[in-house]
Amino acid sequence: MSVESRPGAGILFFGKPKVIPVIKFHQVHKAYKTEGRMIPALQPCDLEIPAGQIYGLIGHSGAGKSTLLRLINRLEEPSGGRIEVAGQEVTSLQAEGLRAFRRQVGMIFQHFNLLSSKTVAENVAMPLKLAGQMSSSAIADKVASLIKRVGLEEHANKYPAQLSGGQKQRVGIARALSTDPKILLCDEATSALDPQTTGQVLQLLAEINRDLGLTLVLITHEMDVIRRICDQVAVLDAGFIVEQGPVAEVFLHPQHPTTKRFVQEAEQIDEQELHADFAQVEGRILRLTFHGQTTYEPLLGRVAREAGVDFTILSGRIDRIREVPYGQLIVAFNGGELEQAMELLSASDVHLEVMR
Amino acid sequence: MEALLINVDWYEIGIATLETLLMLGGSLLFTVIFGLPLGVLLFLTGPKQLFQQKGFYAILSLITNILRSLPFIILLIVMIPVTVMITGTSLGVAGAIPPLVVGATPFFARLVETALREVDRGIIEATQAMGATTKQIIFNALLPEARPGIIAATTVTAITLVSYTAMAGVVGAGGLGDLAIRFGYQRFQTDVMVVTVLLLLVLVQILQSVGDRLVVHYSRK
Ligand SMILES: Nc1ncnc2c1ncn2[C@@H]1O[C@H](COP(=O)(O)OP(=O)(O)O)[C@@H](O)[C@H]1O
Ligand SMILES: [Mg+2]
């Protein structure tokens, strides 16, 4: 087999992975009938979720995130529009076709939704038993390896009630992976967990995405979750997708007020405090955004020397978006050649935004 | 001791106990056989459930309510022609079982419906997301998850049936309750009354504690 004919071989020739959408929405919308009236939950939207990526959906409670997610495996029937998943037209699937399709899409939930009457191993085995295509010994082997993958070897024969929240979600993940799905849907999978456990579960999800090449669609109401593991993000507000794009783009340069609020929450920025700080300094105030390698370069000192400006750092944060480092500083510049300083910074790939 | 229980014929008591147990066992068996599917049907067609059917549910609901509101003694008499059709007799233990089943089934079905409603919706959803058929959702998720509730429902139904059997004497089915009424009450044989009531109490106690134990055993929460 030649290299060119191998699926996905194109990836080798580009710096960025080639983008092949695995989930496509065309003008999909959904309204629920409540007390005889149709209440829209999701406004007509177009969406393309690239294969192998972690796609985040963020929005406040009631924004329509779960509705959108549940349309993907047709737990909800769309009111209109076309949904295509892994090359299949989901909207036209009939009974058995729909069930076979659902086996290719795993799902995990905020409240885990494990069967309390079954042990960890029985829960993980359930999708395989229902599919009825494997022998019990093959199922047992597979279940054992899945349980190992999520690090629960010692708990295989326990009941969910005997596990912690993080362990329960690991069972949920193992169960969702049992039928070797192409896509994993995560509905607020970490919202019921404490911060430390959240970190561990997110890490597990990122590993699964990396090792198995699974596409993840992940709902959250925390920008921090998006920042830590997502490649792309869509922001939902009252049933509308108000912003979407690569996480770095949306996170570092939010456009819509809802997105801005989410970012401020994540960064713990207090708008009022910031403006109080502004009153204490002179000169031009800029927000500098570093992304990638520039984050580590000793830029500020050099620019200050070359342009003869003085600077005061008012606030700042250095962190990572997925694996890529970024820095965002609010800096007041004084004296010297401000124009030149700004040019030097821009030339070094620093994004500038004038705040005063 | 002999003097205290002067009217008690232990052979007679033994027979009556056996009759009560037969009536209870037979009617409980058929009540579960008919009531469990009926309860599942009520649940599935109920409001906001998997197969919501407003009209069908309303009718089914009405029928169960009518049967439940009918005093058992009336049911026993009204049912006589039907009983004869089913068992060939309206008398004895066999004659008592059909009305007992008809009286207890709607009651049991309602309890089953309630037990199924207690199952977290998320579990049904997760099972659907696995690509389960409706049958699989019922047998692999709903019923196992509702098992403690269904066992508790069976216990309550069994105890209700014990009290119903006391009235089955009307059709000559015998049993402990019948003995208590005929001898203890009508002939003022207080000793017979006390012994039969005590035996009934023991039976109820046993049913309750066995039921409770099973519920605990199957509850993994
Ligand atoms: N089954 C339903 N029936 C009626 N309304 C619903 C149903 N599910 C969701 N909704 C409504 O649709 C809107 C979006 O809900 P949802 O998608 O669950 O939001 P989110 O997951 O972002 O919190 C909400 O206003 C909610 O009340
Ligand atoms: Mg939701």
Side-chain angles (χ1 to χ4, degrees), chain B residues 21-190:
Chain B
L21 290 177
L22 279 175
M23 274 190 280
L24 174 64
S27 57
L28 187 62
L29 178 70
F30 286 105
T31 299
V32 172
I33 288 174
F34 296 125
L36 197 57
L38 184 60
V40 172
L41 196 62
L42 276 167
F43 168 75
L44 289 176
T45 57
K48 301 202 165 181
Q49 299 302 339
L50 238 44
F51 291 103
Q52 182 178 339
Q53 292 285 337
K54 280 212 179 90
F56 182 82
Y57 180 78
I59 293 169
L60 207 60
S61 199
L62 182 67
I63 296 172
T64 49
N65 285 349
I66 290 171
L67 286 175
R68 280 176 62 195
S69 58
L70 222 56
F72 181 67
I73 193 90
I74 309 260
L75 192 66
L76 201 59
I77 294 158
V78 171
M79 282 258 319
I80 286 176
V82 183
T83 307
V84 173
M85 240 168 61
I86 298 170
T87 63
T89 174
S90 69
L91 298 174
V93 171
I97 288 179
L100 284 172
V101 172
V102 171
T105 296
F107 176 70
F108 180 65
R110 277 292 188 205
L111 295 180
V112 169
E113 183 194 4
T114 311
L116 290 170
R117 276 201 200 152
E118 295 286 307
V119 176
D120 193 336
R121 275 199 82 84
I123 284 176
I124 300 177
E125 198 165 282
T127 315
Q128 273 180 313
M130 291 175 204
T133 61
T134 306
K135 204 169 121 193
Q136 286 176 328
I137 294 171
I138 295 169
F139 287 97
N140 297 58
L142 272 174
L143 291 178
E145 285 298 290
R147 185 159 51 190
I150 292 173
I151 293 170
T154 311
T155 309
V156 175
T157 306
I159 290 167
T160 308
L161 277 168
V162 170
S163 76
Y164 282 2
T165 61
M167 289 178 254
V170 173
V171 295
L176 287 168
D178 183 45
L179 217 57
I181 293 167
R182 282 195 294 128
F183 292 88
Y185 178 65
Q186 287 166 352
R187 297 194 200 162
F188 305 104
Q189 295 178 353
T190 314

Side-chain angles (χ1 to χ4, degrees), chain A residues 70 73 75 96 98-100 102-103 105-107 109 111-118 123 126-127 129-132 159-162 175 179 187, chain B residues 48 119-137 139-148 217-221:
Chain A
R70 294 153 53 83
N73 61 352
L75 282 179
E96 181 49 41
L98 178 61
R99 289 194 292 272
R102 280 181 178 160
R103 277 179 228 130
V105 183
M107 193 166 190
F109 306 86
H111 299 295
F112 324 118
N113 296 353
L114 302 175
L115 276 82
S116 64
S117 58
K118 296 190 192 299
N123 266 288
M126 197 169 161
K129 288 241 169 79
L130 297 182
Y159 287 93
Q162 296 165 285
R175 178 176 72 175
T179 49
D187 195 345
Chain B
K48 301 202 165 181
V119 176
D120 193 336
R121 275 199 82 84
I123 284 176
I124 300 177
E125 198 165 282
T127 315
Q128 273 180 313
M130 291 175 204
T133 61
T134 306
K135 204 169 121 193
Q136 286 176 328
I137 294 171
F139 287 97
N140 297 58
L142 272 174
L143 291 178
E145 285 298 290
R147 185 159 51 190
H217 181 258
Y218 284 110
S219 295
R220 319 288 191 185
K221 292 201 174 165

Side-chain angles (χ1 to χ4, degrees), chain A residues 30-34 39-42 58-70 76 187-188 219 236 239, chain B residues 48:
Chain A
K30 172 74 185 174
Y32 292 103
K33 196 167 181 183
T34 316
I39 314 274
L42 187 66
I58 190 167
H60 293 292
S61 173
K65 307 181 293 293
S66 298
T67 301
L68 197 162
L69 196 76
R70 294 153 53 83
E76 298 291 353
D187 195 345
E188 310 240 10
I219 289 182
L236 267 89
Chain B
K48 301 202 165 181

